[in-house]
Amino acid sequence: MRRLVRIASPLAALGLWQLLTSLDVNLWLRFEQFPTVVEVASAFADRVGTEAYWQDLGHSLRRIAVGFLLAAVLGVAAGTAVARSRWAADVLGPLVEVVRPVPAIALVPVAILLLPTNEQGIVFITCAAALFPVLVSTRHAVRALSPVWEEAVLTMGGGRARVLFSVVLPGALPGIFGGLSVGIGVSWICVISAEMISGEYGVGYRTWQDYTVVDYPGVFVGMATIGALGWLTSTAVETLGRRVTSWLPRPAERGGTGPGRAAASPAPAAPAPARTPSRSVPLPEKEPVP
C-alpha cells in the first residue's frame, strides 16, 4: 500500500502540472508560459540522445564526488578533534562558528581570487557547502557518547587510538551519516549555483544557458536532472549508512503484520513457582518477665 502511494503521489503531481499548463490557467499563479509535461518529456528525450548531456552529467558528478569526499574526510576529522580536544576546540571552534553562517555560494569571489581555475573553484565551493553539516553533526555525535565505554577500554589497557577506532567513531556513525546525508543535498545546491556563475560545463551551466536563450523545456530538463541526481546520491549515502551501522538495534516497525511477515508471538509467561505446603514452625516461648 505504501509503495502504491509513493508511486501515485508524483504521478498525481505530473497530472496536475499537465492540466494547469495545457489549460493556460492564470489565476494568482501564471501557468500560460510554463511548458507542459509532454513538452518537457520530448525535450528530455532529445537531450538524452546528445553527447553534451552526458558530458555535462559527468562534469557535475565528478565535482560532487571530489568535493563531497573532501568534505567528508575533513568534516569527520575536524568534528572529532573539536569534540575530543580542548586545544582543537579553542583553535578551530571560533573559526567554525564565524565561517559557518556564510553561504557557500557567497565564496565564489574568494574561489575566483584564490584558485587558478574555475574547476578547482567549483570543487572548493562544493566542499565548503558539505563541510560544516558534516563537522557539526560529528561534533555533536561524539560529545553525546557515554564515557562508560571509553573508561572500559582504558581499564582493559587500551590506548587512545583504540578508544578512537573502537568506541568513538563506531558510536558516532549514526550522527556522522546524518550529517553526510544533509551535506550531499547542500553540495548539489551549491555546485549547480557555482556552475551557473562560473562554470563552463555541467548541468547547472547548461540549465542557465537554456534560460538565457528562452528554452524553457530545456530548463525543466535540467531541473529534473538535478532532482534525480540529488535523490540518487542521497539514497546512496543513506543506504551506505544503514549498511555500515547494521549492527545497531533497529526500532520495531509500527502497524500490523503484513503478508510474508510472521507476527511476533508473545514471550511465554514464566512458570509460577511451585507452592510447597507450609509447615507450622513452633515459635519459641517467651520467658516470663520477673
Side-chain angles (χ1 to χ4, degrees):
M1 183 62 183
R2 293 184 61 190
R3 185 172 298 178
L4 291 177
V5 172
R6 292 186 177 187
I7 295 175
S9 175
L11 291 179
L14 291 176
L16 181 62
W17 176 6
Q18 177 67 26
L19 180 65
L20 293 174
T21 52
S22 60
L23 297 178
D24 293 335
V25 175
N26 188 6
L27 297 176
W28 182 62
L29 298 176
R30 300 175 300 173
F31 290 95
E32 70 271 8
Q33 295 183 355
F34 259 52
T36 64
V37 177
V38 176
E39 292 173 348
V40 174
S42 176
F44 180 76
D46 295 338
R47 195 70 64 86
V48 168
T50 63
E51 183 181 355
Y53 178 83
W54 297 105
Q55 186 180 24
D56 292 333
L57 204 68
H59 279 83
S60 295
L61 285 173
R62 185 178 69 248
R63 291 160 178 166
I64 279 288
V66 176
F68 181 71
L69 288 177
L70 286 174
V73 173
L74 295 177
V76 171
T80 305
V82 170
R84 299 278 300 172
S85 171
R86 292 183 179 179
W87 183 83
D90 292 338
V91 173
L92 298 178
L95 297 176
V96 170
E97 297 304 324
V98 169
V99 179
R100 184 162 64 97
V102 179
I105 197 62
L107 300 176
V108 169
V110 177
I112 293 175
L113 296 174
L114 188 63
L115 299 169
T117 64
N118 288 340
E119 187 71 19
Q120 295 175 354
I122 295 174
V123 172
F124 168 77
I125 293 169
T126 306
C127 177
L131 175 65
F132 294 107
V134 178
L135 191 155
V136 174
S137 297
T138 303
R139 183 183 64 185
H140 287 303
V142 172
R143 286 179 177 175
L145 293 176
S146 174
V148 175
W149 303 108
E150 179 179 351
E151 294 171 359
V153 174
L154 294 176
T155 302
M156 297 174 66
R160 299 186 64 180
R162 184 64 180 273
V163 170
L164 178 63
F165 292 103
S166 298
V167 175
V168 175
L169 292 180
L173 277 178
I176 291 174
F177 273 97
L180 291 174
S181 181
V182 175
I184 190 67
V186 179
S187 294
W188 274 111
I189 295 173
C190 291
V191 73
I192 296 300
S193 302
E195 288 175 349
M196 289 181 175
I197 296 174
S198 61
E200 297 178 357
Y201 300 100
V203 180
Y205 170 79
R206 192 66 55 190
T207 303
W208 184 254
Q209 291 298 111
D210 291 334
Y211 173 74
T212 57
V213 298
V214 200
D215 183 8
Y216 294 129
V219 172
F220 279 85
V221 168
M223 293 170 60
T225 303
I226 295 165
L229 291 174
W231 174 67
L232 290 175
T233 52
S234 178
T235 302
V237 171
E238 292 177 359
T239 302
L240 178 62
R242 286 193 295 268
R243 293 286 182 88
V244 173
T245 60
S246 59
W247 50 273
L248 289 173
R250 302 294 179 186
E253 294 186 3
R254 297 181 178 179
T257 57
R261 183 171 56 191
S265 58
R275 300 183 63 181
T276 58
S278 59
R279 297 179 180 178
S280 58
V281 180
L283 298 175
E285 298 181 357
K286 294 183 179 180
E287 297 181 358
V289 179

